[in-house]
């Protein structure tokens, strides 16, 4: 080990973080800023590109002003979000269309007969959650984007591309392979933009950024001498941070969305209802993974906080989860149903709700937390059916701090749930990738042993029954 210092930048949906770590993974400085999300219409989920960039500048300046001698930087960023901007001024021409945005659902439905071909090329199920349909929507519906394209000033692509353009000194037009893979325009096996996919989504390939491996020299961070040597999706970084998973272990990262990640080696492993995607890469090696996606995790709790005007949800929720043992069942379609259902445009709803219970936020939010466990359970069952053996779960991310959620997941799956000690798996993964250091053995903070909970199992079965009725 050396005393090399690494800057890690984590651009999440709700928060932008920066930290400086040493070669042993010790965090020497940390800063964070909140990112705001707007929902101006049904299916429209947006963020402000300028606000995101300003939050990055602020947290980077905060940590670099306190720590000197930083040798390299890595960045992890929310995937599947897109934006258009002016290649000469850097001015954003559109809002950031969030990964949760489903405004292009109709155009996606029109491609249904090509769904199998799209899946085999991209590894992604045909849904409006990924970048291609959002990019097409901007090209077809945004006047500023259309005018900029006519004037040959248009840059358009994943949010990662815009951040690199604004963060790096020479304003390159680049994206990493893991974020390119979430556009649904990138061929997973060829590791290149796919001509057929670009034709299907009507995206001129000439408009797309150059693609580099996740570990590569991207350029120098503006106003510093620090080279950016790794860029990847947030889940990819969290996945890398844990190193080699113990045998028969499912890794679950619990954030705005919840993601179950399972390594498949250096060859993509197809699955009809789960995602096959690139985990990380360098010029000589690539690692793939299977991924299950739950959209309504932290985003569902954010929805609840706004709906019931709960000022301190973080403070009251642990007590509610301890006290409430028989909540209603919540059909959690916040942000659309992810794997293995892949449906959008469905309104969330409660079933088996007693009169006036909707005025009881403790009951309702507990039901929402259980729905997260229910969707994770169904995806774990899907992974097992795909031959991915699993006897325990390892969890990280912000929602992993909820003892009640971890215990419910253990009870429901009848498997131990191991919570990682680090709360910064994504940022630390980006730092490790940037410094070419292998992850240390994961440190387990707490082990949740399964307990009999027949009521929870009954509500899970009712949840699946309710979803079948909803999507019928």
């Amino acid at each position: 080990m050396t005393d090399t210092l690494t800057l890690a930048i984590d651009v999440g949906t709700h928060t932008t973080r920066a930290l400086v770590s040493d070669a042993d993974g010790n965090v020497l400085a940390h800063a964070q800023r909140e990112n705001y999300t707007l929902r101006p219409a049904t299916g429209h989920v947006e963020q402000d590109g300028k606000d995101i960039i300003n939050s990055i500048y602020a947290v980077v300046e905060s940590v670099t002003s306190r720590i000197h001698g930083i040798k390299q930087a890595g960045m992890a960023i929310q995937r599947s979000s897109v934006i258009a901007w002016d290649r000469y001024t850097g001015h954003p021409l559109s809002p950031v269309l969030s990964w949760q945005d489903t405004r292009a659902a109709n155009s996606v439905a029109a491609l249904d007969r090509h769904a199998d071909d799209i899946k085999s090329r991209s590894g992604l199920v045909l849904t409006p959650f990924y970048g291609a349909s959002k990019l097409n929507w901007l090209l077809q519906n945004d006047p500023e984007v259309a005018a900029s394209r006519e004037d040959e000033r248009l840059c358009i692509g994943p949010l990662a591309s815009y951040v690199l353009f604004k963060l790096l000194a020479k304003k390159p037009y680049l994206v990493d392979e893991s974020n390119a893979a979430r556009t649904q325009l990138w061929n997973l096996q060829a590791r290149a933009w796919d001509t057929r996919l670009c034709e299907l989504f009507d995206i001129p390939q000439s408009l797309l950024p150059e693609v580099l491996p996740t570990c590569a020299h991207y350029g120098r961070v503006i106003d510093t001498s620090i080279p950016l040597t790794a860029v990847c999706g947030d889940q990819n970084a969290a996945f890398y941070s844990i190193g080699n998973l113990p045998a028969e272990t499912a890794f679950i990262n619990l954030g705005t969305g919840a993601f179950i990640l399972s390594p498949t080696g250096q060859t993509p492993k197809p699955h009809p209802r789960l995602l096959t995607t690139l985990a990380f890469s360098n010029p000589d090696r690539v690692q793939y993974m299977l991924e299950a996606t739950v959209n309504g995790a932290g985003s569902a709790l954010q929805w609840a906080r706004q709906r019931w005007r709960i000022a301190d949800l973080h403070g009251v929720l642990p007590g509610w989860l301890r006290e409430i043992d028989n909540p209603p069942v919540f059909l959690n379609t916040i942000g659309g149903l992810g794997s293995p259902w892949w449906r959008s445009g469905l309104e969330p709803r409660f079933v088996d709700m007693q009169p006036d219970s909707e005025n009881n936020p403790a009951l309702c939010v507990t039901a929402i937390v259980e729905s997260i466990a229910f969707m994770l359970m169904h995806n774990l069952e899907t992974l097992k059916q795909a031959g991915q053996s699993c006897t325990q779960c390892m969890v990280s991310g912000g929602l992993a701090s909820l003892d009640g959620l971890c215990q419910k997941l253990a009870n429901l799956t009848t498997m131990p749930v191991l919570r990682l000690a680090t709360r910064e798996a994504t940022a630390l993964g980006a730092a490790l990738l940037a410094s070419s250091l292998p992850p240390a053995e994961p440190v387990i903070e707490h082990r949740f042993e399964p307990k009999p909970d027949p009521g929870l199992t009954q509500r899970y079965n009712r949840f699946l029954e309710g979803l079948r009725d909803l999507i019928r």
Side-chain angles (χ1 to χ4, degrees):
M1 289 287 186
T2 70
D3 60 353
T4 299
L5 301 182
T6 304
L7 167 67
I9 305 165
D10 174 9
V11 188
T13 303
H14 289 140
T15 308
T16 296
R17 297 178 176 86
L19 60 81
V20 177
S21 62
D22 64 17
D24 295 315
N26 300 307
V27 176
L28 308 181
H30 177 275
Q32 69 181 54
R33 286 283 188 94
E34 187 173 356
N35 294 326
Y36 297 97
T37 301
L38 301 174
R39 298 177 184 269
T42 301
H44 292 220
V45 186
E46 301 176 354
Q47 294 186 292
D48 187 307
K50 285 185 179 179
D51 285 349
I52 289 175
I53 293 300
N54 288 337
S55 74
I56 295 170
Y57 289 163
V59 296
V60 169
E61 196 279 332
S62 176
V63 297
T64 56
S65 66
R66 287 178 277 155
I67 303 291
H68 303 287
I70 298 170
K71 300 301 183 183
Q72 63 268 316
M75 182 176 73
I77 192 164
Q78 55 171 289
R79 306 171 299 173
S80 303
S81 300
V82 304
I83 187 174
W85 70 99
D86 187 297
R87 71 170 62 242
Y88 296 109
T89 68
H91 177 74
L93 302 170
S94 74
V96 177
L97 303 193
S98 167
W99 58 272
Q100 304 167 84
D101 191 286
T102 58
R103 69 185 66 190
N106 289 338
S107 65
V108 168
L111 292 173
D112 189 61
R113 68 184 184 279
H114 302 290
D116 290 344
D117 188 26
I118 291 170
K119 180 73 163 62
S120 68
R121 292 171 182 269
S122 70
L124 304 179
V125 174
L126 178 62
T127 81
F129 299 120
Y130 304 115
S133 61
K134 304 181 207 296
L135 294 173
N136 174 271
W137 191 94
L138 288 174
L139 289 169
Q140 299 299 325
N141 295 281
D142 191 300
E144 277 199 83
V145 172
S148 181
R149 179 182 178 185
E150 186 71 22
D151 294 339
E152 298 183 346
R153 303 177 65 92
L154 177 63
C155 285
I156 191 167
L159 177 61
S161 296
Y162 173 66
V163 171
L164 291 172
F165 185 91
K166 299 291 287 186
L167 182 65
L168 300 181
K170 292 188 177 180
K171 299 189 181 303
Y173 192 27
L174 301 172
V175 72
D176 68 283
E177 289 189 314
S178 68
N179 278 289
R182 303 304 276 205
T183 63
Q184 210 157 44
L185 299 171
W186 196 76
N187 190 297
L188 201 60
Q189 301 205 40
R191 293 172 64 189
W193 296 121
D194 188 287
T195 301
R196 177 58 176 159
L197 293 174
C198 289
E199 289 174 350
L200 287 171
F201 287 99
D202 195 20
I203 308 291
Q205 194 168 326
S206 60
L207 290 178
L208 298 173
E210 178 186 354
V211 183
L212 297 183
T214 57
C215 297
H217 287 277
Y218 283 82
R220 180 174 56 80
V221 176
I222 193 169
D223 296 330
T224 77
S225 60
I226 304 169
L228 186 70
T229 56
V231 179
C232 65
D234 47 8
Q235 305 308 317
N236 308 69
F239 181 68
Y240 184 80
S241 74
I242 60 168
N244 294 321
L245 274 173
E248 299 188 331
T249 300
F251 173 63
I252 307 175
N253 198 35
L254 298 164
T256 304
F259 303 87
I260 308 174
L261 309 171
S262 180
T264 62
Q266 297 186 50
T267 303
K269 182 176 180 179
H271 186 281
R273 306 304 294 168
L274 301 176
L275 308 180
T276 305
T277 192
L278 180 141
F280 44 84
S281 61
N282 60 37
D284 304 314
R285 179 173 171 265
V286 61
Q287 168 77 51
Y288 293 94
M289 61 185 178
L290 272 180
E291 179 179 324
T293 299
V294 171
N295 293 331
S299 59
L301 293 179
Q302 176 72 8
W303 175 86
R305 185 175 71 175
Q306 294 172 350
R307 176 165 179 168
W308 284 281
R309 296 182 175 88
I310 308 168
D312 185 23
L313 181 58
H314 179 77
V316 299
L317 184 52
W320 289 351
L321 294 177
R322 287 192 300 268
E323 296 161 7
I324 305 296
D325 60 6
N326 189 28
V329 171
F330 181 64
L331 303 185
N332 185 347
T333 61
I334 305 296
L337 283 172
S339 60
W341 301 279
W342 301 113
R343 295 290 295 271
S344 61
L346 301 171
E347 288 296 319
R349 66 191 66 181
F350 292 91
V351 297
D352 303 332
M353 178 76 85
Q354 297 299 316
D356 296 326
S357 290
E358 196 162 347
N359 297 321
N360 185 333
L363 275 176
C364 294
V365 178
T366 301
I368 291 171
V369 170
E370 286 197 350
S371 74
I372 299 169
F374 295 160
M375 290 188 286
L376 290 171
M377 174 65 178
H378 194 55
N379 276 293
L380 287 167
E381 291 176 332
T382 303
L383 275 166
K384 286 183 178 180
Q385 292 166 6
Q388 302 293 108
S389 182
C390 177
T391 58
Q392 64 180 10
C393 297
M394 186 178 291
V395 297
S396 71
L399 290 192
S401 63
L402 287 173
D403 288 2
L405 173 58
C406 294
Q407 188 62 60
K408 287 176 184 293
L409 186 61
N411 296 351
L412 190 62
T413 61
T414 67
M415 295 188 296
V417 171
L418 285 58
R419 180 166 64 203
L420 292 173
T422 179
R423 295 292 184 268
E424 299 287 356
T426 297
L428 289 175
L432 290 167
L433 285 164
S435 58
S436 300
L437 290 172
E441 285 295 313
V443 177
I444 304 304
E445 177 191 85
H446 191 80
R447 180 184 177 98
F448 297 86
E449 294 291 349
K451 302 174 182 177
D453 194 340
L456 183 67
T457 301
Q458 290 173 5
R459 291 191 295 278
Y460 171 60
N461 291 329
R462 183 69 183 94
F463 171 83
L464 293 179
E465 180 184 307
L467 273 190
R468 283 193 292 269
D469 292 340
L470 184 62
I471 64 180
R472 194 169 281 164

